[in-house]
Amino acid sequence: MCAFDSMYVVCVQHCLGLFAIIKFRLRKSTESYSDQTLSKVEKEAVTYKYITKTIELHKNVLIFTAILEATYSSTFLILVGLNMLIISLACVLILIKIDDNDIMSVLRFSFVLIGSVLHLFFLSWPGQALTDYSLSLSDDAYANEWYEASIESQRSLKFLILRCIKPCQLTAGGIYVMNFSNFAMIIKTSVSYITMFISLT
């Protein structure tokens, strides 16, 4: 599990690094227009070539995220399900042991509960970062002098912005999206199971 989680985080960090390169290139894509030694045609050619290479890198990053999604999706489903089960059971056992005044067992199950919550948070954090980075690319595509670029360059940036509307997401079996809002929903669901158990006892 430790090797799986570490490799997952390293792969997502590599993907985030590629997104950072794309962001930098998008901001610098129209920098040639400030160069007074080039003619307008040369400036447009340089800008178009730079934007085209950036879009090719973006396509490669999208392929890489699709591979990540296909690789980790089924495993995430198992891990999220196990974590949810462990969180619920640990909370129930803590409540039972509190009634029995067994302090050592309460501490033991509390550490299991904290470990499961932290593990689930650790799995959700890279997914949230990947979503945030992929969504913010449209702002970087707009934050340059695109209005001075050629029609071809503007059209290419437009298609890139349209693609950035759909974020890159990592899911657990296509059911659960790995992000902070779903992490909070799982914690809330686990707490609701606990309150239901308390009301039954």
Side-chain angles (χ1 to χ4, degrees):
M1 191 178 286
C2 292
F4 170 84
D5 291 349
S6 303
M7 193 63 192
Y8 156 64
V9 171
V10 167
C11 289
V12 173
Q13 286 299 320
H14 174 69
C15 194
L16 296 179
L18 292 174
F19 272 123
I21 292 170
I22 293 170
K23 285 169 163 280
F24 177 78
R25 287 184 179 180
L26 284 172
R27 289 182 179 269
K28 298 289 183 180
S29 60
T30 55
E31 204 172 54
S32 64
Y33 285 97
S34 60
D35 189 357
Q36 302 300 324
T37 60
L38 298 174
S39 67
K40 186 179 179 184
V41 175
E42 290 173 328
K43 290 176 184 178
E44 287 179 353
V46 168
T47 301
Y48 182 69
K49 185 178 178 183
Y50 203 72
I51 289 172
T52 305
K53 285 186 176 181
T54 305
I55 290 172
E56 285 175 10
L57 179 60
H58 184 249
K59 285 180 183 176
N60 291 335
V61 174
L62 293 179
I63 292 168
F64 183 66
T65 56
I67 292 170
L68 278 178
E69 165 67 17
T71 304
Y72 291 106
S73 181
S74 56
T75 312
F76 282 152
L77 188 61
I78 295 167
L79 285 175
V80 168
L82 282 175
N83 274 320
M84 193 170 176
L85 184 66
I86 290 170
I87 289 169
S88 300
L89 286 175
C91 289
V92 168
L93 289 170
I94 288 169
L95 291 172
I96 291 170
K97 296 299 178 181
I98 285 175
D99 290 341
D100 295 343
N101 289 327
D102 189 357
I103 303 300
M104 290 306 292
S105 295
V106 169
L107 283 174
R108 190 180 315 125
F109 291 123
S110 296
F111 284 123
V112 170
L113 174 66
I114 291 167
S116 294
V117 170
L118 286 177
H119 183 238
L120 192 58
F121 180 77
F122 182 77
L123 291 175
S124 301
W125 191 352
Q128 181 68 49
L130 186 64
T131 302
D132 293 342
Y133 264 70
S134 62
L135 279 175
S136 65
L137 278 181
S138 58
D139 297 334
D140 295 294
Y142 190 75
N144 55 36
E145 285 114 15
W146 55 267
Y147 44 85
E148 291 185 3
S150 64
I151 299 298
E152 292 85 9
S153 300
Q154 290 179 18
R155 192 174 296 132
S156 300
L157 284 173
K158 192 187 303 180
F159 286 122
L160 178 69
I161 291 170
L162 283 173
R163 175 54 188 90
C164 292
I165 291 172
K166 181 185 175 188
C168 295
Q169 294 178 330
L170 298 174
T171 64
I175 302 166
Y176 171 88
V177 179
M178 306 299 288
N179 58 25
F180 288 154
S181 60
N182 285 337
F183 166 75
M185 185 192 70
I186 280 191
I187 300 300
K188 186 178 176 183
T189 306
S190 301
V191 170
S192 68
Y193 289 154
I194 297 158
T195 55
M196 182 183 72
F197 176 79
I198 292 170
S199 65
L200 291 174
T201 56

